[in-house]
Amino acid sequence: MYKAVKDKDRREYLGMVTAMDDAIGEVVESLKKANMFENTIIIFFSDNGANVAHGGSNWPLRGGKASVWEGGTRSPAFIHGPELAPRVENRMFHVTDWYPTLLELINKKPTGPPMDGISAWKGLARKSGKNWKRDEIVYNLQESEDHPTDPIGAIRIGDWKFLWRVPGYDGWLKPAENRTRKLADNKVWKHHAKRTGHSNQLFNLAKDPSETNNLAEVEPNRVVKMKERLKKHMETYMTLNHEASDLAGSPKNFGGVWSTGWC
């Protein structure tokens, strides 16, 4: 499969995507046979952008997995079900919005402490701008000992995105089938290996979704306001705590399948 793609990582990546697509197709076909398809909500989304080191590509967006550039954070998604008409939705939606959105679908409301998610069900079902409540997204906010005054963070308000500080891959990498050089020889990848960081970056995503034109010096007042907004979010910041992986959940114990406690 995909023999025309010479890059091994890209070829395997395309094969895995195709296998996943086939599996989803089988689920959909089963729902149809059981007369459940028209009354089922199906959601497909990713937790991050593609990893460019393993056959992925976010072209023409900038960056990749583990960065707060659009290539690492903006991902395609779809929702299918009753009351939803076919269309492309470009308004702002965050992964935390799925929970309250699905609760509203079944006439429930979230309980417990305040959450980041905002229901978008009315906007999705009716495509009304008045019913779309999200106009801000915090991409990440993480303090580090080596940069105590400059946390890794980014925020979007309306069409504008401000990156306080962002490390990691910052390039624009075409899919392997559209490249003539190997990834290891690519200047972009060599740049990534240096983990070059950036700070004080401002972009108008409506006009520049690929984040090519830093407008921080052109819009200094906007930079100040968006940085202050991030500082406000810092007041409720929670320290990141990654628990160690449970070796019992290693894919080696399950025929290569990722399991609970490992990822």
Side-chain angles (χ1 to χ4, degrees):
M1 183 177 286
Y2 302 109
K3 294 180 179 179
V5 180
K6 296 181 180 180
D7 185 277
K8 181 176 180 293
D9 286 341
R10 182 64 175 175
R11 192 167 58 249
E12 291 180 349
Y13 186 94
L14 294 175
M16 288 190 290
V17 171
T18 300
M20 180 177 63
D21 189 45
D22 291 342
I24 294 172
E26 292 181 6
V27 172
V28 169
E29 188 61 30
S30 295
L31 287 170
K32 290 180 178 179
K33 290 181 178 179
N35 294 318
M36 298 172 62
F37 180 70
E38 298 300 331
N39 195 38
T40 299
I41 294 289
I42 299 175
I43 299 173
F44 182 91
F45 67 97
S46 175
D47 56 344
N48 47 248
N51 188 334
V52 299
H54 298 286
S57 172
N58 303 294
W59 178 263
L61 300 180
R62 187 175 186 177
K65 180 179 179 179
S67 81
V68 292
W69 299 107
E70 289 299 281
T73 54
R74 183 186 296 203
S75 63
F78 73 75
I79 177 171
H80 174 278
E83 299 186 44
L84 298 170
R87 72 171 191 273
V88 176
E89 178 57 69
N90 291 312
R91 290 175 289 186
M92 206 182 305
F93 190 95
H94 190 266
V95 65
T96 58
D97 296 338
W98 284 121
Y99 177 58
T101 296
L102 293 176
L103 282 182
E104 183 173 0
L105 168 63
I106 58 174
N107 297 315
K108 300 291 184 180
K109 292 183 178 181
T111 59
M115 62 175 59
D116 295 325
I118 302 172
S119 175
W121 178 248
K122 288 185 176 67
L124 287 171
R126 301 172 188 172
K127 201 178 187 300
S128 170
K130 296 181 181 179
N131 291 317
W132 205 271
K133 301 176 181 179
R134 179 172 290 285
D135 61 358
E136 174 185 290
I137 283 179
V138 175
Y139 290 76
N140 191 21
L141 200 52
Q142 179 182 345
E143 293 180 313
S144 57
E145 294 181 359
D146 56 335
H147 290 81
T149 61
D150 293 308
I152 297 173
I155 188 172
R156 176 177 175 179
I157 301 176
D159 292 332
W160 291 89
K161 177 179 179 180
F162 172 70
L163 298 95
W164 193 338
R165 184 170 69 87
V166 51
Y169 173 60
D170 66 346
W172 300 264
L173 190 68
K174 292 183 179 180
E177 55 266 39
N178 298 122
R179 295 198 309 266
T180 57
R181 292 177 295 177
K182 294 181 179 180
L183 185 59
D185 298 328
N186 194 298
K187 291 182 179 180
V188 172
W189 183 245
K190 290 181 179 180
H191 183 64
H192 166 47
K194 296 178 181 179
R195 304 289 294 178
T196 301
H198 296 269
S199 59
N200 206 46
Q201 304 277 307
L202 179 71
F203 302 96
N204 185 320
L205 296 181
K207 299 179 179 179
D208 182 24
S210 296
E211 298 169 295
T212 62
N213 185 23
N214 181 12
L215 298 173
E217 294 184 2
V218 180
E219 296 269 357
N221 292 334
R222 191 182 299 276
V223 168
V224 171
K225 291 180 180 179
M226 296 184 77
K227 182 180 286 189
E228 288 302 315
R229 182 61 178 158
L230 274 176
K231 289 180 179 179
K232 186 68 177 178
H233 283 293
M234 284 292 294
E235 297 176 3
T236 55
Y237 170 80
M238 297 180 65
T239 303
L240 185 66
N241 180 26
H242 283 305
E243 296 184 1
S245 298
D246 185 349
L247 295 180
S250 171
K252 295 180 180 180
N253 300 328
F254 300 92
V257 178
W258 295 92
S259 304
T260 303
W262 186 258
C263 179

